[in-house]
Amino acid sequence: MTIFITSLCVQAQITVCTTCTISSIQQGIDLATAYDTVFVEEGVYFEYNIAIGKPLTILGENGAIIDGQKQGTILKVQTTNATISGLTLRHVGLSHTEEYAAVHVSNTKHFTLNRLTVEDAFFGFLIEGSSKGRITNNKLSGESEMEFYSGNGIHAWKSKELVITENEIRNLRDGIYLEFVDNSEVVNNLSENNIRYGLHFMFSNNNAYSNNTFTKNGAGVAVMFSKFIEMKDNHFLNNWGTASFGLLLKEIYDAEITGNTFDENTVAIAVEGSSRITYQHNKLSANGWGVKMSGGCYSNKFLSNAFSNNSFDVSFNSRLNDNEFTGNYWSTYSGYDLNKDGIGDVPHRPVKLFSYVVNKTPESIVLLRSFFVDLINFTENVAPVFTPVDLIDNSPLMRVPS
Amino acid sequence: MKTLWLIVGICFLITSCQKGPKEIMYGHENCEFCSMTIMDDKHAAQIVTNTGKVYVYDSIECMLRSLEFYGENADQIVVMDFNNPGSYLNASEATYLIAPRLPSPMGANLSAFATGEDALNVGFDGTLYTWETIRKHIK
């Protein structure tokens, strides 16, 4: 009995190094028994399709590099309780039909990918049908020159309960892509210079992302066809381009968007057909459009947000409005506050008539600063004909809320 | 020299008047239906209307879903040949494959091929559709 217990408790370590008798990682894995640690010493290992079929910890020393020689997927996790940590993975294969990745996790539970560096990725981490995974402290980057020869950094499909934190993702297609992924968290990541989106949700419900920074991506974050997504304290910066935006919401419902910062994006928040969303305490500054709504958007609430120096704070494409704007700060507000309670005494109409013209005929944007446009905006403000009469903030703040 | 400019000018006039699918700027254009940036050169699709307006789609499923709005006025509908990225097939002549292991941008796992044989040879299990049947399947 004692022997049995000791054999359970003592986890053996197998060391792999380029000059050892065990000189390949696959060999090390094959020799290990379940719950062992395979320690990979410094050096370059030219291997791909490394299969991990039993619960193991694979731990890389500083400078341990696996080079896939562009042949295919490097590591394949096909077991529960696998931990991969400390390795550098480079030169993932490119393919037209196969989705090669640095690490491919399929149909498993309880996996950890930690402190990995992926260079020259096609896909970084590809996670399919798996749950309870932790993906933390990794650095992923690609060298994609051709748009369609780029994969996603962290790509999860039909998975749940993933925790994705403290990763840095650069130069890929989508930094993080979640399709049919539920109950997951994306926290404290940096996603920059990706060709398409920093973060992308598709058909994924009950997820939260917070404290992430999305900068200089094709566009910041796209949340599409999803419900119950919480978006908190993120930074959406510098997403410029004709088709670009900080945050795209397409057919999403029941979301909370709180405390985010949107600076210098062509469109800070582009909303299409999304309802029951609460926008609170967000700061939108120096964007082309603050909030650009189209399609049927109902029962949305905008409370205590700050709209500063945007060319258009809010644009709307319908004459009907079912959205509430209360207690926001508008830098374009020209009213006064005689009783000094910090709330403007006259209501503010955030939608300019000219934004309708620009929506119909984008080229007319060249007239933005003209006297004529100021005139029609003013006239519409005084006597609304085209803009929704009830799209109005009755208690505009005089100062940016802290 | 004058004639050269004349020829160049005429060429411009002719090309600008041609009605047909256009070159998609991958990574810079958004899908007409789902607003996603078009990145995938194996699944793109286009609808050219009678007036020559071109709508571009990131996936065949997005194009099918927008037939409701533009289908009536469609002059040409083209889908990308999965086996020859960059070359379009006439949508009504293509064979469609829905294969769960072959993902497409909007989740329908739908790709187009020149022939049924091509679709089978690609090596993913799935269901084949014609233009008529796929239109009923996704709309």
Side-chain angles (χ1 to χ4, degrees):
Chain A
M1 189 62 192
T2 341
I3 299 165
F4 179 67
I5 291 170
T6 5
S7 70
L8 260 184
C9 294
V10 176
Q11 295 171 3
Q13 176 169 310
I14 289 182
T15 305
V16 180
C17 72
T18 45
T19 51
C20 304
T21 42
I22 307 170
S23 64
S24 88
I25 295 159
Q26 184 69 68
Q27 217 182 339
I29 292 167
D30 293 343
L31 287 169
T33 48
Y35 300 100
D36 281 358
T37 296
V38 176
F39 184 73
V40 183
E41 288 192 0
E42 191 184 338
V44 183
Y45 301 83
F46 294 94
E47 287 180 67
Y48 60 96
N49 273 341
I50 303 169
I52 305 168
K54 54 197 152 199
L56 286 178
T57 298
I58 300 183
L59 186 61
E61 193 182 33
N62 204 0
I65 299 168
I66 310 181
D67 190 321
Q69 307 153 74
K70 302 220 170 212
Q71 296 297 313
T73 289
I74 298 178
L75 283 160
K76 292 187 170 175
V77 179
Q78 298 150 338
T79 173
T80 57
N81 296 297
T83 299
I84 306 172
S85 177
L87 291 160
T88 296
L89 309 168
R90 69 182 190 200
H91 300 147
V92 179
L94 290 180
S95 160
H96 200 64
T97 48
E98 297 290 322
E99 293 173 329
Y100 292 136
V103 183
H104 182 184
V105 179
S106 59
N107 303 313
T108 182
K109 280 182 190 169
H110 299 288
F111 63 93
T112 304
L113 305 176
N114 172 242
R115 294 193 300 111
L116 298 172
T117 305
V118 180
E119 290 165 1
D120 199 7
F122 176 39
F123 281 78
F125 304 147
L126 187 57
I127 293 145
E128 294 178 323
S130 298
S131 62
K132 298 190 171 29
R134 297 186 63 84
I135 300 159
T136 57
N137 281 300
N138 302 290
K139 286 195 170 80
L140 299 103
S141 64
E143 288 175 8
S144 45
E145 284 153 21
M146 296 283 275
E147 273 84 12
F148 23 86
Y149 263 130
S150 58
N152 303 319
I154 299 172
H155 179 116
W157 180 75
K158 289 201 174 159
S159 296
K160 57 186 183 188
E161 295 166 60
L162 304 178
V163 177
I164 301 171
T165 61
E166 315 271 347
N167 299 289
E168 289 178 20
I169 306 160
R170 296 185 174 89
N171 303 326
L172 286 145
R173 177 184 287 189
D174 289 345
I176 302 171
Y177 177 89
L178 307 174
E179 184 173 348
F180 302 109
V181 172
D182 298 338
N183 301 309
S184 295
E185 277 173 46
V186 178
V187 185
N188 266 324
N189 301 284
L190 168 67
S191 194
E192 68 176 349
N193 286 318
N194 294 297
I195 300 173
R196 193 165 67 179
Y197 304 135
L199 169 64
H200 189 178
F201 287 95
M202 294 267 274
F203 317 109
S204 295
N205 305 326
N206 298 300
N207 297 298
Y209 67 95
S210 54
N211 285 301
N212 301 287
T213 300
F214 305 102
T215 173
K216 293 179 190 154
N217 298 299
V221 174
V223 182
M224 310 173 81
F225 310 100
S226 300
K227 292 174 201 160
F228 300 102
I229 307 280
E230 193 184 298
M231 319 177 201
K232 221 175 154 190
D233 301 328
N234 299 289
H235 294 260
F236 303 80
L237 315 170
N238 274 304
N239 298 294
W240 279 122
T242 45
S244 196
F245 44 75
L247 173 60
L248 169 71
L249 307 174
K250 167 90 182 172
E251 307 212 7
I252 77 156
Y253 304 98
D254 302 293
E256 301 274 334
I257 302 176
T258 313
N260 300 286
T261 306
F262 297 85
D263 280 349
E264 302 196 14
N265 305 289
T266 302
V267 180
I269 310 179
V271 193
E272 290 184 39
S274 298
S275 298
R276 300 190 298 277
I277 299 173
T278 309
Y279 302 78
Q280 259 185 102
H281 302 291
N282 299 292
K283 291 194 162 55
L284 300 92
S285 316
N287 303 289
W289 277 263
V291 178
K292 191 175 185 181
M293 287 186 161
S294 52
C297 296
Y298 306 105
S299 308
N300 298 295
K301 287 181 183 160
F302 293 81
L303 314 167
S304 307
N305 301 288
F307 293 83
S308 313
N309 307 316
N310 305 302
S311 300
F312 300 102
D313 286 336
V314 176
S315 98
F316 211 67
N317 75 339
S318 145
R319 288 204 55 202
L320 285 170
N321 173 49
D322 180 40
N323 302 300
E324 180 193 336
F325 291 82
T326 306
N328 300 286
Y329 169 80
W330 311 91
S331 63
T332 46
Y333 181 56
S334 52
Y336 44 81
D337 179 21
L338 290 182
N339 58 1
K340 302 277 178 208
D341 63 353
I343 296 165
D345 298 345
V346 283
H348 179 65
R349 291 187 175 280
V351 178
K352 291 180 189 168
L353 177 60
F354 187 56
S355 68
Y356 281 71
V357 181
V358 176
N359 280 347
K360 283 263 182 236
T361 323
E363 294 78 11
S364 62
I365 192 79
V366 293
L367 301 171
L368 179 63
R369 306 283 174 215
S370 69
F371 172 70
F372 175 70
V373 167
D374 289 345
L375 199 68
I376 62 166
N377 282 338
F378 179 74
T379 329
E380 178 70 16
N381 217 342
V382 176
V385 178
F386 297 99
T387 54
V389 182
D390 51 355
L391 208 163
I392 196 165
D393 191 335
N394 278 315
S395 45
L397 299 181
M398 296 306 289
R399 287 211 175 81
V400 178
S402 52
Chain B
M1 198 61 195
K2 260 185 188 169
T3 36
L4 181 73
W5 282 116
L6 198 65
I7 291 164
V8 170
I10 288 168
C11 283
F12 264 109
L13 279 178
I14 291 169
T15 47
S16 57
C17 293
Q18 250 169 13
K19 199 155 77 174
K22 64 171 188 175
E23 189 99 356
I24 296 178
M25 299 196 318
Y26 292 97
H28 300 279
E29 279 187 88
N30 288 357
C31 172
E32 175 67 25
F33 184 77
C34 75
S35 304
M36 248 162 76
T37 315
I38 307 174
M39 300 290 292
D40 185 334
D41 65 340
K42 302 187 291 290
H43 293 100
Q46 304 191 24
I47 296 177
V48 184
T49 65
N50 292 327
T51 52
K53 187 158 172 50
V54 186
Y55 296 107
V56 292
Y57 301 92
D58 66 338
S59 64
I60 300 164
E61 53 267 36
C62 281
M63 180 273 284
L64 290 168
R65 287 180 185 127
S66 92
L67 284 176
E68 183 189 333
F69 314 108
Y70 306 126
E72 271 179 34
N73 298 321
D75 180 62
Q76 291 174 50
I77 303 175
V78 293
V79 292
M80 196 64 88
D81 183 354
F82 184 84
N83 283 334
N84 291 305
S87 93
Y88 286 102
L89 300 166
N90 199 329
S92 58
E93 290 160 10
T95 302
Y96 299 86
L97 171 71
I98 294 187
R101 296 295 308 163
L102 191 56
S104 62
M106 285 304 287
N109 305 321
L110 170 63
S111 309
F113 296 86
T115 63
E117 208 173 322
D118 286 351
L120 292 174
N121 287 342
V122 77
F124 290 94
D125 288 341
T127 321
L128 293 183
Y129 294 86
T130 63
W131 175 238
E132 273 69 40
T133 52
I134 197 72
R135 287 186 68 169
K136 289 190 190 111
H137 189 71
I138 297 176
K139 57 187 174 189

